[in-house]
Amino acid sequence: MEQKVQTYFQLKQQQKDIEQQLSVLRDEIVAYCAEQGAYETQVGGYMVKTVLQHRKEYDDQKLYAALPDPEIWRLLSKVDSHKLKSLIKLNVLSEEQVSPACTVKQVTLLQVDKL
């Protein structure tokens, strides 16, 4: 069992290192695409695409203040965008009620495919 724990620990360390390297490379590739003014470009034998996406983030305190009924907060317990979307879709809440607690964050997604 000690060997399994040791291997797990080592793999988690490698995972952290790889994620760090991926993050640096991702930032450099996205910056390159932005400099080129291209959302889609071919680099060698690879097709590189960047996709601009908007993500909503909610402030717990502002959202709680915006809710019409404190019982709804129990359904959320903490801000969960998926649960919040469901409550809006079910007309339990309206987009206008929660908008003061929401900020929209712009995120660029990177997709690299081999040709």
Side-chain angles (χ1 to χ4, degrees), residues 36-55:
Q36 301 298 310
Y39 293 106
E40 190 171 321
T41 187
Q42 185 174 339
V43 178
Y46 297 90
M47 180 58 70
V48 178
K49 298 178 188 177
T50 58
V51 178
L52 209 53
Q53 193 178 67
H54 295 88
R55 293 186 182 164

Side-chain angles (χ1 to χ4, degrees), residues 77-112:
S77 73
K78 72 174 195 165
V79 176
D80 179 331
S81 294
H82 297 293
K83 287 181 183 178
L84 200 51
K85 275 184 184 177
S86 296
L87 291 173
I88 291 170
K89 199 173 203 176
L90 293 169
N91 292 320
V92 174
L93 294 173
S94 72
E95 193 74 46
E96 293 77 30
Q97 287 173 303
V98 298
S99 65
C102 178
T103 55
V104 178
K105 180 179 174 183
Q106 192 169 317
V107 178
T108 302
L109 302 178
L110 175 66
Q111 179 182 350
V112 177

Side-chain angles (χ1 to χ4, degrees), residues 10-75:
Q10 291 169 345
L11 289 172
K12 288 299 279 185
Q13 289 301 115
Q14 288 176 3
Q15 180 183 18
K16 287 179 187 177
D17 293 342
I18 289 169
E19 287 174 356
Q20 171 87 28
Q21 291 174 22
L22 284 170
S23 177
V24 169
L25 289 170
R26 180 196 172 287
D27 291 346
E28 290 174 358
I29 294 168
V30 168
Y32 171 81
C33 290
E35 288 171 7
Q36 301 298 310
Y39 293 106
E40 190 171 321
T41 187
Q42 185 174 339
V43 178
Y46 297 90
M47 180 58 70
V48 178
K49 298 178 188 177
T50 58
V51 178
L52 209 53
Q53 193 178 67
H54 295 88
R55 293 186 182 164
K56 293 182 178 182
E57 294 182 350
Y58 295 91
D59 179 286
D60 288 0
Q61 298 300 326
K62 290 180 182 178
L63 182 60
Y64 182 76
L67 296 178
D69 182 357
E71 291 298 314
I72 294 175
W73 185 252
R74 289 187 183 165
L75 295 174

